[in-house]
Amino acid sequence: MQSEGSEERVITLDADETVMGRAADNAITIDDPAASSRHCVILRKENCYTLRDLNSTNGSYLNGAQVTEVPLAPGDVLTIGSVRMLLEGDDIETGTTLPPATGPQDTIRTGPIRQKTPPEFGVRKNRSGMWITIGIVIALALGALLYMFISRLIG
């Protein structure tokens, strides 16, 4: 897969399910710490393709937007971590009518594709308000314990 500094690679989608992720047993292995072990799957039904996120930690992005399940079309760009993949194929159907499959001619081209950049991967949402609340509760609990300890020493 292409990420920074690596070469482009072409992958043929010839299975009904193509699982992608960091684990070595996936059909497509993504060597990126932002990828979950089983990150997403591309489902093929004849010439129609659907991308489904597999509850990944950092999400799957299609054309710059985070998605959970979406039909794919030629020219779509899938982003997982720092890896970008371009879906190409002259027989990919995007409508509801499914013509007979003509063979494994559909590919994903990976490489440096200039698209909107998704949010920084591996960084959790800002939860500083939650930590401030937890800190206040802990401080109050410690204060109450200290008060009880001092009042027993004096009284």
Side-chain angles (χ1 to χ4, degrees):
M1 297 295 216
Q2 172 139 20
S3 54
E4 250 181 77
S6 63
E7 291 187 29
E8 181 176 284
R9 184 172 99 176
V10 176
I11 300 167
T12 301
L13 299 176
D14 53 3
D16 290 337
E17 275 191 15
T18 304
V19 180
M20 293 182 266
R22 213 176 52 247
D25 63 340
N26 290 311
I28 299 174
T29 304
I30 299 172
D31 186 22
D32 189 303
S36 295
S37 57
R38 287 182 42 87
H39 196 94
C40 64
V41 61
I42 294 179
L43 303 167
R44 176 182 182 194
K45 184 171 183 181
E46 297 184 3
N47 289 3
C48 293
Y49 295 83
T50 301
L51 170 70
R52 180 182 298 154
D53 185 82
L54 298 174
N55 296 319
S56 62
T57 302
N58 292 311
S60 299
Y61 288 79
L62 189 67
N63 302 324
Q66 189 170 7
V67 295
T68 53
E69 184 165 355
V70 65
L72 296 172
D76 281 344
V77 177
L78 170 61
T79 305
I80 299 172
S82 64
V83 177
R84 298 196 193 302
M85 295 169 253
L86 172 66
L87 184 69
E88 295 179 334
D90 55 2
D91 64 339
I92 298 172
E93 296 293 325
T94 56
T96 55
T97 307
L98 300 175
T102 59
Q105 299 171 5
D106 309 312
T107 59
I108 292 180
R109 183 173 305 281
T110 61
I113 301 162
R114 305 292 181 236
Q115 289 286 330
K116 292 181 189 175
T117 305
E120 188 176 338
F121 286 93
V123 177
R124 302 262 183 209
K125 294 177 183 172
N126 185 356
R127 295 189 174 117
S128 61
M130 178 184 70
W131 289 110
I132 290 171
T133 303
I134 291 171
I136 290 171
V137 169
I138 290 172
L140 288 173
L142 288 174
L145 286 172
L146 185 62
Y147 173 78
M148 288 178 9
F149 179 73
I150 291 174
S151 64
R152 285 193 180 199
L153 284 176
I154 294 174

